[in-house]
Amino acid sequence: MAGSGEQEALVGNKQVIFKDFVSGFPKESDMFVTTGSVKLKLPEGSRAVLVKNLYLSCDPYMRALMKPQDANYGSVFTSYTPGSPVSGFGVAKVLESGHPDIKEGDLVWGVTTWEEYSVIKAPETLIKIQHTDVPLSYYTGILGMPGMTAYAGFYEVCSPKKGEYVYVSSAAGAVGQLVGQLAKLTGCYVVGSAGSKEKVDLLKNKFGFDEAFNYKEEHDLNAALKRYFPEGIDIYFENVGGKMLDAVLLNMRIHGRIAVCGMISQYNIDKPEGVSNLMNIVYKRVRVEGFVVFDYLQQYSKFLDTLISYIKDGKITYVEDIAEGLESGPAALVGLFSGRNVGKQVVTVSLE
Amino acid sequence: MAGSGEQEALVGNKQVIFKDFVSGFPKESDMFVTTGSVKLKLPEGSRAVLVKNLYLSCDPYMRALMKPQDANYGSVFTSYTPGSPVSGFGVAKVLESGHPDIKEGDLVWGVTTWEEYSVIKAPETLIKIQHTDVPLSYYTGILGMPGMTAYAGFYEVCSPKKGEYVYVSSAAGAVGQLVGQLAKLTGCYVVGSAGSKEKVDLLKNKFGFDEAFNYKEEHDLNAALKRYFPEGIDIYFENVGGKMLDAVLLNMRIHGRIAVCGMISQYNIDKPEGVSNLMNIVYKRVRVEGFVVFDYLQQYSKFLDTLISYIKDGKITYVEDIAEGLESGPAALVGLFSGRNVGKQVVTVSLE
Ligand SMILES: NC(=O)c1ccc[n+]([C@@H]2O[C@H](COP(=O)([O-])OP(=O)(O)OC[C@H]3O[C@@H](n4cnc5c(N)ncnc54)[C@H](OP(=O)(O)O)[C@@H]3O)[C@@H](O)[C@H]2O)c1
Ligand SMILES: NC(=O)c1ccc[n+]([C@@H]2O[C@H](COP(=O)([O-])OP(=O)(O)OC[C@H]3O[C@@H](n4cnc5c(N)ncnc54)[C@H](OP(=O)(O)O)[C@@H]3O)[C@@H](O)[C@H]2O)c1
């Protein structure tokens, strides 16, 4: 491959390609890994940024992008293009920049593409990483989009008060583990649910939840919630939807709040399950509020300062599940929907 | 019956008796009219109030009281006792009072019993009627509990802004007709739905809704809403639930609000219908908030002043559906659940 002139900069670029729109559960085979090529040089006058991807984030919203564009989520996402690489959040190192605020060598996080090298055409959406005394992968999770989701959802949407009863579903995940810890720091009583014994142990012994249970072992979710919340739930941080939401509605306290972050149990079924116990919203005067992290990005630097100091002071802990190499990306991504990940699911592309 | 001493005060007292707990749609025959007797004199030292009932209110919540007590609505209601008279809101005239703030001849509204004469044991819950230059029956509706519901639900829960798109279901009813008019006074674009051509005409021609439609003639509620709200719905005042709510969720705008007042379409079915389109709460960052009028009673006098002046200035109009006599009570009450009432359903007991 050694050559001269323009060709010198052309290198192999391993990529994860999205095959075609998916219905039902996504499978590893809905993506494939291939090697394209990329010119490690921006065209003259380009305002884009050329990056080397270091860490990629597996996030549940990526499932929605595997469907044809839908007007209902059009305000938030744009679907993937079949035959093109998967995109998602990641941490990357800048190799060349056409943008005045970003320079070679900068570390950034933001939306990138599942490949070794990417040309990012909207570099203004990237956030420069200033604190490098924490693992860089944290910017895909606790210090990135999912962390900001937990923070905004908990403080801005849940209106928490000391002493309140808080329930978090999918509690061992990227968002849930932080929500539970923030709730504990606020002085709440916190119960989490997750899908395995290992995760339940993490919740109780590592993240400091007051109680935790494996929802897969509960035949009657209503009874399980009554057991953990004999006085009812003030705040439900909703990550899963469906039957869990229906059971929670039966257990809300007066003036309770439900922050609707996501409903992962519904993402792979064509017609979402119906939720029936909605009259409890009236009886219990419940506020159910959906939110999208992107509406809170102006709070990012405040969030970052808070979280970095919590992490350094040992007040907050964090568990990641790291898959090595782009080849492991498809399995890691689809694993979110079977609960394979223990903690935040990350894919490493390169260690520097 | 002419006698002397204590017996002089014993008179016939026509009553509507609740037979037994109901499942499915309530029927006229779930109640019966009988004549008991009452002593028109309070016992010595009683702190109760003896009233002559003038107008009784038919309200959808009364259906919930026809079921055995349920912990989920226990914070709001207490079920009827089989074999005892129906209770509900009404307007009454005080014949004798053991309560220091209430005196003979006062007109009051509040919770009473479906009979000619009632002894009200919690007179502190009654509200004295000061403005008698409006029809007294208005205190069962626009100036009573349903009016206060519309006012609190619209101003406190919907957070309305001028120019917003507002949808009201069960719009020709007691609550809905006022919500629509308050929304028009706020400068909103208002569409209502109701179950007959007559009601749709009222909405457009009497209550000043911008548009109205008969939901029973729409096979596809989503399509109907898209027709009336091509730009989506900012505020939904929810009175009916079920399929209508599911269709509304598909049509909410970003940062929309749903004030959950009631879900009458679900009150007569054992297992409420499932609502599926809940992920739109996330995508559109919707706030869904339930409320109960009793939480807002401290605003009653402000509400009353506002409404009385709106009525006198002709800014608000009001339609009642008046059934004559206690005998017509059971049919009037069950008629709410087939939409027989056109406007607020009232039952007259006595005209003075
Ligand atoms: N609104 C926003 O802006 C925003 C932003 C980020 C994330 N979110 C949402 O937040 C939620 C959590 O995201 P995350 O990144 O923290 O993911 P995560 O929890 O790290 O990973 C997903 C987890 O979901 C659980 N799960 C999968 N299928 C399930 C099912 N059918 N029923 C119940 N649980 C199931 C699995 O854990 P178990 O082993 O416990 O089953 C899995 O590990 C998702 O709903 C996501 O869409 C929303
Ligand atoms: N949260 C609170 O504090 C509070 C207080 C008062 C009332 N509410 C609620 O507010 C709502 C309206 O009460 P209201 O007093 O104004 O009653 P209303 O609207 O005067 O009367 C009930 C109306 O509901 C409609 N309806 C009946 N069955 C239906 C069904 N299956 N699907 C759709 N519509 C149906 C009928 O009109 P159509 O001809 O249009 O079908 C009927 O005329 C009810 O849900 C009630 O429970 C709540």
Side-chain angles (χ1 to χ4, degrees):
Chain A
M1 282 279 185
S4 65
E6 288 216 337
Q7 274 179 325
E8 231 170 21
L10 207 64
V11 299
N13 192 21
K14 214 183 288 172
Q15 299 183 305
V16 177
I17 305 289
F18 171 63
K19 265 195 209 154
D20 203 354
F21 294 124
V22 173
S23 71
F25 276 76
K27 303 176 299 298
E28 250 188 272
S29 60
D30 291 322
M31 294 159 271
F32 63 91
V33 180
T34 184
T35 301
S37 66
V38 62
K39 205 190 284 181
L40 286 188
K41 185 99 200 70
L42 290 172
E44 202 65 43
S46 166
R47 291 181 60 91
V49 163
L50 174 72
V51 301
K52 180 172 188 191
N53 292 307
L54 307 180
Y55 296 98
L56 298 173
S57 178
C58 296
D59 290 294
Y61 80 90
M62 296 163 79
R63 176 63 187 86
L65 279 51
M66 296 182 179
K67 288 190 284 200
Q69 189 71 21
D70 177 326
N72 287 317
Y73 63 71
S75 54
V76 189
F77 310 125
T78 307
S79 293
Y80 291 145
T81 306
S84 294
V86 170
S87 70
F89 284 90
V91 171
K93 184 170 188 169
V94 175
L95 300 183
E96 188 187 351
S97 172
H99 189 279
D101 299 341
I102 298 177
K103 60 179 201 312
E104 188 187 328
D106 279 352
L107 291 162
V108 293
W109 74 266
V111 175
T112 184
T113 318
W114 281 36
E115 55 193 351
E116 290 173 282
Y117 301 98
S118 300
V119 174
I120 296 177
K121 296 208 174 104
E124 62 283 358
T125 62
L126 297 172
I127 297 182
K128 273 207 262 188
I129 294 174
Q130 317 279 5
H131 300 269
T132 53
D133 48 354
V134 288
L136 286 179
S137 57
Y138 280 26
Y139 292 92
T140 65
I142 190 168
L143 300 179
M145 187 281 283
M148 186 68 214
T149 301
Y151 181 86
F154 185 66
Y155 290 119
E156 302 290 322
V157 185
C158 294
S159 315
K161 286 189 287 292
K162 194 176 160 184
E164 287 193 318
Y165 298 104
V166 175
Y167 173 50
V168 185
S169 56
S170 201
V175 176
Q177 61 175 281
L178 182 54
V179 171
Q181 293 179 85
L182 295 176
K184 282 308 301 171
L185 288 173
T186 306
C188 300
Y189 179 84
V190 188
V191 179
S193 60
S196 73
K197 181 175 181 322
E198 180 184 7
K199 293 184 188 185
V200 168
D201 288 344
L202 269 182
L203 293 175
K204 290 203 277 198
N205 304 323
K206 185 155 178 90
F207 299 129
F209 284 59
D210 294 287
E211 288 287 350
F213 66 95
N214 180 349
Y215 69 94
K216 290 183 181 165
E217 288 182 347
E218 302 289 343
H219 298 290
D220 181 342
L221 292 172
N222 177 23
L225 292 171
K226 289 214 160 33
R227 203 162 69 232
Y228 291 104
F229 295 99
E231 317 229 31
I233 298 169
D234 291 298
I235 291 175
Y236 173 43
F237 197 98
E238 163 68 303
N239 284 321
V240 308
K243 289 179 189 60
M244 184 61 87
L245 177 57
D246 235 352
V248 166
L249 286 167
L250 296 173
N251 289 281
M252 291 302 292
R253 299 184 89 190
I254 291 179
H255 298 300
R257 286 132 272 151
I258 298 179
V260 193
C261 176
M263 298 188 166
I264 196 170
S265 73
Q266 308 298 301
Y267 296 173
N268 300 306
I269 49 186
D270 282 344
K271 166 128 181 81
E273 286 174 283
V275 170
S276 299
N277 298 318
L278 297 166
M279 260 309 282
N280 288 284
I281 295 174
V282 182
Y283 297 139
K284 306 296 178 59
R285 302 82 148 161
V286 173
R287 168 161 60 81
V288 180
E289 193 162 348
F291 71 98
V292 168
V293 59
F294 309 120
D295 293 344
Y296 297 90
L297 290 185
Q298 75 286 1
Q299 293 188 31
Y300 180 70
S301 71
K302 190 177 117 206
F303 153 79
L304 188 67
D305 289 347
T306 308
L307 263 284
I308 295 247
S309 79
Y310 282 164
I311 292 171
K312 290 190 179 159
D313 297 348
K315 288 190 180 164
I316 290 273
T317 179
Y318 181 51
V319 172
E320 307 179 276
D321 190 331
I322 301 209
E324 301 286 342
L326 268 176
E327 293 81 359
S328 65
L333 179 54
V334 306
L336 293 177
F337 304 100
S338 60
R340 206 184 83 160
N341 62 308
V342 179
K344 166 65 198 171
Q345 183 65 60
V346 183
V347 175
T348 56
V349 187
S350 166
L351 292 186
E352 99 16 293
Chain B
M1 283 278 183
S4 65
E6 288 216 338
Q7 274 179 327
E8 230 170 23
L10 206 66
V11 299
N13 191 21
K14 212 181 288 169
Q15 301 182 305
V16 178
I17 305 291
F18 171 63
K19 266 194 211 157
D20 203 354
F21 295 124
V22 173
S23 71
F25 275 76
K27 303 175 299 298
E28 251 189 272
S29 60
D30 290 322
M31 293 159 271
F32 64 91
V33 180
T34 186
T35 301
S37 65
V38 65
K39 204 188 287 181
L40 286 190
K41 187 96 199 74
L42 290 172
E44 204 64 43
S46 167
R47 290 182 59 91
V49 164
L50 174 71
V51 301
K52 180 172 188 191
N53 292 307
L54 306 179
Y55 297 97
L56 297 172
S57 178
C58 296
D59 289 295
Y61 80 90
M62 296 163 79
R63 176 63 186 86
L65 278 51
M66 297 182 179
K67 288 190 284 198
Q69 189 70 21
D70 177 326
N72 287 316
Y73 63 72
S75 55
V76 188
F77 311 125
T78 307
S79 293
Y80 291 145
T81 306
S84 294
V86 170
S87 70
F89 284 90
V91 172
K93 187 170 186 168
V94 175
L95 300 184
E96 189 188 348
S97 171
H99 189 280
D101 299 341
I102 298 179
K103 59 178 205 310
E104 188 189 327
D106 278 352
L107 291 162
V108 293
W109 75 266
V111 174
T112 184
T113 319
W114 281 36
E115 57 192 350
E116 289 172 284
Y117 302 98
S118 300
V119 174
I120 296 176
K121 297 206 174 102
E124 62 283 357
T125 62
L126 297 172
I127 297 181
K128 274 209 263 187
I129 294 174
Q130 316 280 6
H131 299 270
T132 54
D133 50 353
V134 289
L136 287 180
S137 59
Y138 280 27
Y139 291 92
T140 65
I142 189 166
L143 300 180
M145 185 280 283
M148 186 68 214
T149 301
Y151 181 84
F154 185 65
Y155 290 119
E156 301 292 322
V157 185
C158 294
S159 315
K161 287 189 285 293
K162 193 176 160 186
E164 287 192 317
Y165 298 104
V166 176
Y167 173 51
V168 186
S169 56
S170 201
V175 176
Q177 59 175 284
L178 182 54
V179 172
Q181 294 179 83
L182 294 176
K184 282 310 299 172
L185 288 172
T186 307
C188 298
Y189 179 84
V190 187
V191 179
S193 60
S196 72
K197 182 176 179 323
E198 181 186 5
K199 294 184 188 186
V200 168
D201 287 344
L202 270 181
L203 293 175
K204 290 203 278 197
N205 303 324
K206 185 152 179 91
F207 299 128
F209 283 59
D210 294 288
E211 288 287 350
F213 66 95
N214 180 347
Y215 69 93
K216 292 183 180 164
E217 289 182 348
E218 302 290 343
H219 300 289
D220 181 343
L221 291 172
N222 178 24
L225 291 171
K226 290 213 157 34
R227 203 161 69 232
Y228 291 103
F229 294 99
E231 316 227 31
I233 298 169
D234 292 298
I235 291 175
Y236 173 44
F237 196 98
E238 164 67 305
N239 285 320
V240 308
K243 290 180 186 60
M244 184 62 87
L245 176 57
D246 235 352
V248 166
L249 286 167
L250 295 173
N251 289 281
M252 291 302 292
R253 299 185 88 189
I254 289 179
H255 298 299
R257 285 134 272 150
I258 298 180
V260 192
C261 177
M263 299 189 166
I264 195 168
S265 73
Q266 307 299 299
Y267 296 173
N268 301 306
I269 49 186
D270 283 343
K271 167 128 180 82
E273 287 174 282
V275 169
S276 300
N277 297 318
L278 296 167
M279 261 307 283
N280 288 283
I281 295 175
V282 182
Y283 296 139
K284 307 295 177 59
R285 302 85 148 160
V286 174
R287 168 161 60 81
V288 180
E289 193 162 347
F291 70 99
V292 168
V293 59
F294 310 119
D295 292 343
Y296 297 90
L297 291 185
Q298 74 286 0
Q299 294 188 30
Y300 181 70
S301 72
K302 190 178 117 203
F303 154 78
L304 188 68
D305 290 347
T306 309
L307 262 284
I308 294 248
S309 80
Y310 281 164
I311 292 170
K312 290 192 177 156
D313 298 349
K315 288 189 180 163
I316 291 274
T317 179
Y318 182 50
V319 172
E320 307 178 277
D321 189 331
I322 300 209
E324 301 286 344
L326 269 176
E327 293 79 0
S328 66
L333 179 53
V334 305
L336 292 177
F337 304 100
S338 60
R340 207 184 80 159
N341 63 308
V342 179
K344 167 66 198 170
Q345 184 66 58
V346 184
V347 176
T348 56
V349 186
S350 165
L351 291 185
E352 107 2 301

